[in-house]
Structure formats: structure tokens, C-alpha cells
Amino acid sequence: MATASPSPLSTSHPPKEDPTSASALSAHHHPLSLLPKCNSLKQLKQIQAFALKTHLRHDASVVNKLVSFCTRCPNDASMAHAQKLFDEIPHPDIALFNTMFRGYSRGDDPLRAVALFVRVLSLGLFPDGYSFPSLLKACAGAKALAEGEQLHCFAVKLGLTHNVYVPPTLINMYTECGDVDAARRVFDKISDPCVVTYNSIITGYARSSRPNEALALFREMQASNLRPDDVTVLSVLSSCALLGSLELGKWVHEYVKRHGLDEYVKVNTAVIDMFAKCGSLEDAISVFESMKIKDTQAWSAIIVAYASHGHGSRAISMFEEMVRARVSPDDITFLGLLHACSHTGLVEEGYRFFYDMKNIYGIDPGIKHFGCMVDLLGRAGRLDEAYNFIHELPIKPTPILWRTLLSACSSHNNIDMAKQVIQRIFELEDTHGGDYVVLSNMCARAGKWEEVDLLRKMMNEQGAVKVPGCSSIEVDNVVHEFFSGDGVRSVSTSLRHALDQLIEELKLVGYVPDTSLVCHANMDEKDKEIALRYHSEKLAIAFGLLNTPPGTMIRVVKNLRVCRDCHSAAKLVSLIFSRQIILRDIQRFHHFKDGECSCGDYW
């Protein structure tokens, strides 16, 4: 009799067994041995079922491990299961509570940790040094300052504020809740702060847009012989970027290379962002090109860098390279592309990227992307189109969106639409001083002084305050700040005289002060010219001319948009003094050289 040949589907190797199948479970004496192989909530429930079957449901070590698994990467389902397991334990100890705190603090509903803490108190248990870090992290995630302050008081009462883990999380909680001064008070009470503690407060200052304090603490940290790590460097680079402090940024970059921190993609990306925001696009490009690994964030950073410096076409070509490299773009990538189109008038290209991000890449546009589109259309003078775009949005428009259109109305001197737009803004927010100022200036230029008086009266009644113009310049590693109007108050006599002389020299080559920008009915032309003369960016440029060698590049950072008059003056300064000036305002960079600006006056 012939022997049957084996089926082509048969195999001499037995199929792999699910480590949580019934036969596998019975092969082990204790379910804890299976947890390292567990990779889903479904498998965990199988292990739990085996624990029930083998009468281990009340074994503390088993339950603790099951709960710990659920809280490792928490989501709604895993935390619900963890809570169910936890509720079945008759006498949970503080360690198990801490596990639950940690899970909730990492999840979508962090204040559940604080609610659970009430049960700790009702049971007469005492929280320890592992309890408060998770609880404070939960308050930070929920921006729950009041609950965080109560926990702080409780930690003081228990004498746990000197625990190595508590002060950094206290500092983080306060900064995340917007009270960086309270965070600093916590820091100042620490007798011997470590690197982690310094990182917490430095990061807090950086995130709160207080870069000077962050950099001062960084120097203090170095003086304490503590070695900054990648976390420190990320915050310090962010602070350098905020200030436009290129020299310090270069020093930090050298530190990064010296200590091998350039192996971190995130650090290199932060260096690119810092160089770009400090006005050195060349350095940003150099760092990007030297990176061995370029992820989405790195590509996005260089695209944003090109866009903010007015190189729209290059930003788009970098995106094309990114696609060829098979790196997936994200929402920041498209923000950079839309900025690039906006600053160079590429309206049709902007529309294409806006629709491609959703239709091709599956990225839902956010409020910033909508704002870029309004800015793109507004700069191009397509005001009606921008107005309709806002009206047709799938979300409720924010004041910022309308404010973007208001700025475009001012640029194109469309006072009728500006009045419609400002009504939309006032329906949402009526305390922003800049809104009143923009429309007031438009009315003043049109000679509508009654409307100017009405707007100023409304501004006073609402308590709205105009943000003063502020410009900074770094000279010899020191950042100097100037505010508009300082020339007639606190600026040194030598700087005031230098600026006065500078303006007279500019007039000789054709500079005519644009006094139409000064909208005060009771000021004559001479007073208006003086007001223009002491704008913050002019003060900073004059300071740079006075305190740097001939031919040296001048870099200025301004907190608002540069005005037309200062823009014209800067072009002439670059021409007659043979200086390159890089001015970063709130929207973009202006590179002045040989009497021209990189923006081509499209700004």
C-alpha cells in the first residue's frame, strides 16, 4: 500500500502558542511569570482569569502587577479596568494608590488622581514622596492651580518638600498653571538644587516667555559646577531664540557638540530653530545638512526657517525633498509651507497645500492654518475672499483670525471692511488695545477725527492697553532692550545724539519721515517726526552702529510688526553705512542690504 504524501500545508513544527492561552497558563505555577509577555488588555484579562481560577485573586503581588500593567500606558479602557481591580481590594496600601495616581496623571482625565487622593485621607493613610509627584503632575496636566496649591500645603505639612522628587514637580505644576513666580519661590527655598530642579525652573521661564531669567539661571547652574543635559539645552536654546541672542546661542551649540548632545535629533532641531530665529539662516542650514538622521520635526524646522526668512520657493523645494526622502509631514510642516506662500504672495500654491494637507496627508487643519490662509489672502489684497473664507470655516472664528484680516485692511487702507471686521472682534473680545489702535489710525489717516475720539474713549472705558513697541539687540553677549519713546526719557545722551545725527544723514539721501503713521490731531509735523524718530527699532539700530565695528552685521528683534517708516530708514542705513541689518519682527525676518530688503516690500 502506497504511503500518502504529506500535505503541502503540513509542517513539522508545531504552531506557536499564545502565551496567555489556557494550555500555556496551566503550564505555569504563577501568573506573574506571564506578565512580561503580556502586550494587550485582552491578554491581561486572560491572566486575571487564571489568577481567579487558581485562587490568587486576593494575592497582593498579583493584583499590584495587574494594576501596574494597566497604568503603564493608560487609556480610558485600561484605567477603567485598573479602577475596577483597585475597587475590589479591601485594604489598598499607599503603594497601590501611588500606582493609580501615576496612571491617572498620564491619562486624559488627570484630576481623577486628585479625587482618588481624597480616599487616601479618608482611610487615614499617609502619602509619601512617591505620591506627590504624580498628583502634582495631574494638576499640571489639568491646569488645576487651586488643587495644586492645596497639595503643596499638604506636602509642607508632611515635611515632604525636601524630597528629591517633589520640588521639580511642584515647580512644573506652578509653571504649567501660569504662576512662574510661585515656581521661583519654591526653587529659591531649595538649599542644594540638582540638575533636574534647575531644568524645571529654566524650562518654566522659557515656556513663560521670560528668557532673561532662564539664561540667568543657566549661568548660575554652570557656576554651581552642575553639568547641563539635553533637557537644559533645549530650554536654553528656546530662550536664545526668544531673545535673538545669537552669540549665546552659538556658545550653547558649541557646548552641544563638545558634550555629544548633537546625537539627539531633538537637540539638533532646537539648534536649527534657534539659529533661524536669531537671524542666521546659514547656520541653521549647516546644522540641518550635517544631521545624520532627519525626522519630521527636523524637516519642518528647516522649512519654517526658509519661510520666515522670505525664501518661499526654497521652503517649497525642501518640502519636495522631504517627500522624496519618504518622511511624513505633519501640521507644523504645512504651517511652514503656508507661511512661505503668504510672505511671497504665492496664493494658488497656498490653496494647493491647504487642501493637500487634508485630502492627501490626512491632516486636519487647525486654527493656525486657517490664520495663515487669511493672512495669505489679506496680504494679496483679496480681502473679500479672506472675509468669506472666515465665514465658511467649520469652526467658530477666533479674535486672532479676524485680527489678521484687520491688519490686512489697514495695509490696503480698506476702512469700510475694517469697521465690519472690528465689530466681529468686539463680539468676541473688546479689551485688546491693538484693535482700537489699528482702526483709530486708519480713521485718523482719513481725517475722521470724531471716530478717532470715539474709539479712544471706548478703549479707555474697556481698560484696553496698547502694547509698547520693544526692540532688542545683542552686543558683546549682552542683550539691550529699547522701548518706543525711550529717546525722550531714559536713553543715554550719547545714543539720543547719535540717533538725531543718523536721521539727519538719512535725510540727505532722500529719507522723508512718514508722519502719516503718527495719528494725533494735537501734534504738529515736528512733534510727529520726533515721535517717529524714537521708535524702538531705530534706537536699537543706532545703538548697534554706535557700539559695533564698521561692517559688522546688526541684528534686531522687535515684539511687534516693524512700521513702514522704520523699514524705509533701515534700508537707507544699510546703504550709506554698508551694514547688513537683520530685523526680526513678530511676523518674519527682514534682511536689509545695499538699500534693499529681502521682503521686496511685500509685508
Side-chain angles (χ1 to χ4, degrees), residues 246-301:
L246 180 62
E247 294 309 313
L248 181 57
K250 285 184 174 180
W251 183 92
V252 176
H253 185 215
E254 288 302 318
Y255 179 93
V256 163
K257 292 188 288 185
R258 224 171 27 245
H259 292 88
L261 296 174
D262 54 347
E263 295 179 2
Y264 295 94
V265 178
K266 279 189 175 182
V267 172
N268 278 327
T269 302
V271 172
I272 293 170
D273 181 66
M274 179 275 296
F275 276 133
K277 288 179 178 175
C278 289
S280 183
L281 181 60
E282 298 79 9
D283 284 319
I285 295 169
S286 176
V287 173
F288 177 80
E289 290 178 346
S290 69
M291 291 177 67
K292 296 177 182 177
I293 299 174
K294 301 180 179 77
D295 62 4
T296 299
Q297 286 70 39
W299 280 98
S300 297

Side-chain angles (χ1 to χ4, degrees), residues 78-119:
S78 66
M79 285 309 301
H81 192 69
Q83 187 68 54
K84 184 177 180 181
L85 287 167
F86 180 84
D87 290 339
E88 293 177 358
I89 301 170
H91 303 292
D93 59 12
I94 193 62
L96 194 55
F97 271 103
N98 289 344
T99 301
M100 292 296 294
F101 295 156
R102 186 165 56 252
Y104 278 126
S105 72
R106 295 172 178 173
D108 296 331
D109 191 9
L111 281 184
R112 290 287 297 274
V114 179
L116 193 60
F117 178 67
V118 176
R119 186 171 167 187

